[in-house]
Amino acid sequence: MGSTVFVTKIFFQHGWLIVDIGNTVDMDNEIILLVHQTNQDIKKIRPSKMIDSCFFYSVNQLPIGEKQIVELTNENHIQIEHGKDSIILSGNVTFIEKENSSIYLTKISRADLSLLASEHDTQERFRMPAFKMDDQIILFDNVERLKVQQQNDFGQVGILVHNIDGSNYFETNKVVHTFGKLMTQRSFQSEVISARDNRLSILINDPIKIDQAGIIFNDTIILAQVQENVLTFDFGVVHRNQYIEQSVCRIKLISGNTLMTGQLRFRDSDFHAINDFVVVSNNRLQILGNLFFNRLPGTSTFDQALPIKLDVIQSDFGGLKLGINRKIGQALLVLKRHGRNIYTRFAGSIADGNPLALHFNLSLFMHHHASILSGRRWDAFLVTFDEASVQVNRIISSKPIYQQNYLNYGPLLEKSSNRISTYDQKFEYYFNHNNELSLVKNSDSKLLIERFDVKSDVVGIKRKGSLTYQLTIKISGASLNKITCHQVIAVNRNKHTYVKINLPTQLNSKSDHFWKMTADLKMSVEQLIPFYWDLYVEVTDEFGNHSLLQIQNASKSVRQSLRKNVFKWQIKNQGQLLAPYITVNNNLAFVYHPVQDFETSFNYLKENIARVVEKLFRKQLKKKHIWISYEKNAMGAHDNAFTFFEYIYKNSKHDQFYYVIRPDSPESKNLSNMNDRVLKFMSFKYFVYMFAAELFISSDTKYHSYNLHQRDSHLGRRMSRVKEVYLQHGVNGLKQVPAFHKKRGLLDFIIVPDEYEKNMVVKQWGYDAKQVAVTGLARWDKYTDLTKTISFHQIFVMPTWRKWMDGMSPEEFMSTPFYQQYQAFLSSPRLKEILSKNNTRIAFFLHPYFKDYVHLFHVDDSVIDQYGYLDVNMGEEIQKSSMMISDYSSVLWDMYYLKKPVVFYQFDRDDYLANEKSYMDYDTELFGDVTFDVDSTIDAIAYYIDNQFTEKAEYVKLRQKYFTYVDHHNSKRIYDAIRDNKRHLGI
């Protein structure tokens, strides 16, 4: 049957029987497993999945029986390591063994192994290491695992003998003392002391003396280190290949002559992950199990699923308990991402001994998705298995939809009651209009708005005195009488912190469907921090959940009033500025920041006059076809925008291409020989040309040429209608930038360095392929290796700014892991020694957002040079450097382009990915060494010094994937791309 397989390996792992056929056959030909006894009643088992050269067969699908013949549809020779292999599950024990040229399978129910005979006088079928306790026999797949239990006083160490006649006998190797008293089904009140890295330490609050303790789950006993009533369990002893099934842990305690058995109950309801499969959730210690399941049916089966009526008995964070009307064997809860074919599976277990109640543990799933700061929705299905078929059903409520509480939504489920930010993700089960069970995740504000169909508007704003805004707010929605309104608050927009200001609030009118209130926001330098502030109402729902309801819309009259003269709405006090503005979603928000030196009445006057002048001479100015370029905050002249501008100027490609720069910029000197095309920032000519611009071309977004915090002015709104060619500040991929997605309307034509990034921009950002040009970065035209121009080796170190650090005081900044990690690195005596001995120095560059914190870093200037933004030409310093250390910065690509080693120093990777996310897979796609602490970072430096700063071969191979062009013609390709897309750009 099919191709011949000369060597096939067969073994158990993680609940699968795995057949590894090597590379000797076409993997498109599915191999069927045949199990039978002397060709009678042949059981055909198809593989559940295929990975590489391996076919996976679920052990649960194998038939019960002793010494059954196993064959494959296309095999000759099968190898079994050590001639025999076995797997122990909660429901059965399964063996495979080879005798002569045949493979035999034995699968025995655990129930058939539980009855013990008092004598042993028949022929044996097999022997297994075992540990016999008063209420359970634990089996082991090897003697080494049994040896760990030699010091265990909970039972007897020995061998379970299974005989040919079906009887069982236990041979005792070690007898423990008998207990005078047995206490079962106790609940031990506990507290988590620590839970991480496979270790769990707990405090037992019960007033008992503990001599020995052990956690029991599946066929596993983990003994505790006991110090009075503090117990520490090491779950790292569980063998990595051991199959772990979902369960709730039991605990056994020995106190004197008493043996106690029960469960741990924790006062703290927070989620704690000890490792990937052991968690504290919903006040209990739970085993999630290795979630390897039978192959699910195809997507069409889910689309055509018939309804099944179930009761939601209980739902909490990480748990769902469903009531059923018949006994079900193996069952899975399947959550299908709404609108997408992405499925997540959860094994069901009998809840509280009730065969008509199924419990599903979603702890790890919810814990993971709580860190993804965006809304998601899933449809709930129940998948049941029996020997004959697999049944997929869409879960519906057993009650009519009109009997469900409050629009069919359950209570909000949250990981912790302590709010971290307004972005905190919460979960909610609900029944849709078809009475089907679904799960939704989002911020509590968005869930509340969905549930009660809430609409909120700021319908009025006025100045109240010199320092206060008075807001009039209207809220409407279904069943607002179910919600208690407290007060309006302003919240600093930050994914990592929760800073709020309570606004004096007056509830003027209220009904079941309508609220109207006024609130006052005062300019307070003591309370406000940079930069953005959103408006919320604090409420309590009918379940007692304290939630925030975001005020989401500014009325047309409010928008018109603000945009008529944005400058009159600004409040300046003690060198700070507070102003209302309209967000891209038409919400009213406020911006607070130090007054910038160009935010003056005189510049506002020039802007308004320039608007009139441009209007008068619009026809003439339009004929000029004015293009404008600039870099970050109109301060820079060294990046892609400057390089491209210089190319156009020197090659006379477009004589109305102008460059915006502040006169006080240290890099304005770079434009000294091109002064006829320079627009001095905030000059009158600058304003006129900005109003008349036909196209923006830059490595930063267009408002860097004006005012990042002011988009509602006449010039700000005019700029929003002008298209931008985005040259990029650097290569993307290391972090997500949703602000650049097409739906935000900020960018119009994207320049990318390679096909890899073009694919990302099209798929992730949502642009059409014709809106993206692969050219290479302009600044790379000037790049060359300058390491030999300096007398020492230079290591370029440049960390990335974290958005969650916006507005921190110096004291708060110094308490962050960021500051502590980098300060420890820079001040390391070992680092200094390595650098000194090897004629090497560090060039420590700080992002421009670090300007208020530069002075806090203490460096040894004998080996470290510290630079702020624009202190030196960063591009030249990169070319002079032999190596780079950063974390998530796109500047790493520049060093990689120069064929020099890079190190990703990612001590806060989890936090960063939770807040920023990435388009790249940090585990497989990074092009340099990754370190997570100071010592390993210094180790990497030492390695590359010892190896003359030579790249590792594995990273050299990746270069072809990431760079389409390696030449000095990128600027020419950019110009050609703009010329070829004039129609799209409207030029």
Side-chain angles (χ1 to χ4, degrees), residues 298-307 336 381 391-394:
T299 57
S300 61
T301 307
F302 285 87
D303 295 336
Q304 301 165 12
L306 297 174
K336 177 183 180 292
F381 295 83
Q391 184 71 42
V392 177
N393 294 104
R394 184 71 165 95

Side-chain angles (χ1 to χ4, degrees), residues 16-289:
W16 299 104
L17 177 63
I18 300 176
V19 175
D20 184 354
I21 62 174
N23 298 315
T24 55
V25 298
D26 183 357
M27 287 296 293
D28 291 335
N29 294 328
E30 188 176 66
I31 294 179
I32 307 298
L33 195 70
L34 307 176
V35 182
H36 60 93
Q37 294 203 356
T38 61
N39 291 321
Q40 296 180 358
D41 192 21
I42 298 176
K43 175 86 171 180
K44 296 182 178 181
I45 303 171
R46 298 180 61 192
S48 297
K49 62 180 180 179
M50 293 172 282
I51 299 177
D52 297 329
S53 61
C54 295
F55 291 85
F56 290 72
Y57 306 85
S58 172
V59 172
N60 287 329
Q61 290 183 307
L62 301 177
I64 294 286
E66 299 196 19
K67 208 163 185 180
Q68 304 170 92
I69 298 171
V70 176
E71 296 177 317
L72 304 178
T73 52
N74 54 353
E75 62 82 20
N76 269 357
H77 303 292
I78 301 178
Q79 288 184 353
I80 304 176
E81 191 172 358
H82 308 303
K84 187 175 184 179
D85 198 10
S86 63
I87 187 168
I88 302 168
L89 304 180
S90 62
N92 60 76
V93 176
T94 306
F95 300 87
I96 49 173
E97 55 188 334
K98 188 169 185 177
E99 289 186 10
N100 300 321
S101 60
S102 297
I103 300 295
Y104 294 98
L105 175 115
T106 295
K107 181 177 179 181
I108 300 176
S109 167
R110 288 293 290 267
D112 292 336
L113 295 174
S114 61
L115 298 176
L116 300 180
S118 57
E119 296 182 358
H120 174 47
D121 57 2
T122 61
Q123 188 176 356
E124 298 176 5
R125 171 73 74 190
F126 61 80
R127 302 165 66 88
M128 293 193 71
F131 187 82
K132 181 176 178 292
M133 297 184 291
D134 61 300
D135 56 354
Q136 181 181 354
I137 295 178
I138 292 180
L139 301 177
F140 298 91
D141 52 12
N142 62 66
V143 176
E144 296 302 317
R145 289 184 58 215
L146 178 63
K147 287 180 180 178
V148 178
Q149 308 302 324
Q150 292 293 338
Q151 305 303 316
N152 187 337
D153 291 330
F154 295 115
Q156 305 173 41
V157 175
I159 300 294
L160 179 71
V161 180
H162 181 67
N163 300 315
I164 288 179
D165 64 3
S167 63
N168 307 290
Y169 178 75
F170 185 78
E171 290 184 355
T172 301
N173 296 338
K174 173 200 169 189
V175 181
V176 298
H177 68 279
T178 57
F179 295 98
K181 186 176 182 182
L182 299 177
M183 299 176 62
T184 60
Q185 303 304 319
R186 281 206 51 178
S187 179
F188 299 99
Q189 298 300 317
S190 313
E191 295 179 20
V192 174
I193 298 175
S194 66
R196 58 178 300 179
D197 299 332
N198 285 317
R199 295 177 70 85
L200 171 67
S201 293
I202 63 174
L203 172 67
I204 302 293
N205 290 322
D206 295 57
I208 55 176
K209 179 181 181 299
I210 301 174
D211 297 315
Q212 194 174 88
I215 289 289
I216 300 164
F217 59 91
N218 300 164
D219 280 86
T220 303
I221 307 175
I222 298 179
L223 296 181
Q225 296 177 8
V226 180
Q227 292 183 338
E228 296 183 349
N229 278 37
V230 175
L231 309 179
T232 300
F233 301 94
D234 182 2
F235 287 88
V237 301
V238 179
H239 192 271
R240 63 182 301 175
N241 289 332
Q242 183 178 344
Y243 181 68
I244 304 299
E245 296 179 272
Q246 184 184 50
S247 63
V248 175
C249 293
R250 293 185 302 137
I251 187 169
K252 285 184 178 288
L253 301 177
I254 296 175
S255 179
N257 201 31
T258 301
L259 174 64
M260 293 173 279
T261 303
Q263 288 188 4
L264 297 169
R265 292 286 179 180
F266 294 93
R267 294 179 178 177
D268 180 6
S269 61
D270 282 352
F271 178 93
H272 301 276
I274 294 96
N275 57 27
D276 289 344
F277 63 89
V278 185
V279 299
V280 175
S281 179
N282 299 318
N283 308 96
R284 295 187 298 174
L285 181 62
Q286 303 190 50
I287 305 299
L288 302 182

Side-chain angles (χ1 to χ4, degrees), residues 563-588:
R563 288 170 173 168
K564 187 175 182 180
N565 188 347
V566 296
F567 304 119
K568 81 168 188 176
W569 288 99
Q570 296 177 352
I571 296 178
K572 296 179 181 178
N573 184 33
Q574 300 181 41
Q576 304 293 318
L577 184 150
L578 178 66
Y581 74 99
I582 304 300
T583 71
V584 293
N585 296 319
N586 277 331
N587 298 347
L588 177 70

Side-chain angles (χ1 to χ4, degrees), residues 511-686:
S511 71
D512 289 352
H513 309 289
F514 177 85
W515 299 340
K516 191 171 184 179
M517 62 192 75
T518 56
D520 295 341
L521 173 60
K522 184 177 180 180
M523 166 62 144
S524 171
V525 296
E526 291 79 18
Q527 291 181 294
L528 290 163
I529 61 173
F531 286 98
Y532 302 105
W533 291 80
D534 298 307
L535 299 173
Y536 291 83
V537 180
E538 290 183 326
V539 300
T540 304
D541 68 14
E542 79 281 11
F543 295 110
N545 295 309
H546 298 286
S547 303
L548 299 180
L549 176 63
Q550 186 172 10
I551 301 168
Q552 285 202 312
N553 184 59
S555 68
K556 183 178 180 181
S557 62
V558 168
R559 297 198 301 270
Q560 290 176 339
S561 177
L562 292 181
R563 288 170 173 168
K564 187 175 182 180
N565 188 347
V566 296
F567 304 119
K568 81 168 188 176
W569 288 99
Q570 296 177 352
I571 296 178
K572 296 179 181 178
N573 184 33
Q574 300 181 41
Q576 304 293 318
L577 184 150
L578 178 66
Y581 74 99
I582 304 300
T583 71
V584 293
N585 296 319
N586 277 331
N587 298 347
L588 177 70
F590 290 83
V591 60
Y592 175 83
H593 60 83
V595 177
Q596 300 174 92
D597 58 3
F598 57 82
E599 292 178 316
T600 66
S601 299
F602 184 52
N603 283 337
Y604 300 157
L605 177 63
K606 284 191 287 186
E607 179 176 331
N608 285 326
I609 296 174
R611 173 176 171 245
V612 176
V613 171
E614 184 274 335
K615 190 173 183 180
L616 290 172
F617 296 95
R618 184 166 295 171
K619 287 185 179 180
Q620 296 90 327
L621 290 168
K622 190 173 183 179
K623 292 178 181 179
K624 284 180 171 285
H625 301 290
I626 295 170
W627 296 358
I628 290 179
S629 193
Y630 49 87
E631 286 177 1
K632 192 177 294 294
N633 297 317
M635 284 292 289
H638 67 274
D639 205 340
N640 293 314
F642 171 76
T643 306
F644 180 66
F645 173 78
E646 186 179 43
Y647 167 81
I648 297 294
Y649 186 91
K650 289 182 176 180
N651 291 278
S652 303
K653 296 290 187 180
H654 188 81
D655 62 4
Q656 292 296 315
F657 192 15
Y658 294 87
Y659 198 93
V660 174
I661 195 163
R662 290 176 58 122
D664 59 342
S665 167
E667 295 195 338
S668 61
K669 64 182 183 295
N670 297 345
L671 292 151
S672 59
N673 61 345
M674 298 178 279
N675 270 330
D676 57 320
R677 302 285 171 75
V678 172
L679 296 176
K680 293 181 180 180
F681 183 65
M682 293 290 157
S683 66
F684 185 72
K685 181 179 179 180
Y686 154 86

Side-chain angles (χ1 to χ4, degrees), residues 373-374 423 495 584 701 732 735-747 760 764-767 803 915-919:
L373 304 183
S374 59
Y423 295 84
K495 295 179 180 179
V584 293
T701 56
N732 286 287
K735 71 174 180 179
Q736 292 190 14
V737 277
F740 294 168
H741 291 185
K742 184 177 180 178
K743 63 182 180 182
R744 298 299 294 270
L746 198 58
L747 308 174
M760 182 200 74
Q764 303 288 345
W765 293 12
Y767 289 88
K803 289 181 180 178
N915 283 276
E916 302 293 344
K917 297 188 279 294
S918 172
Y919 300 118

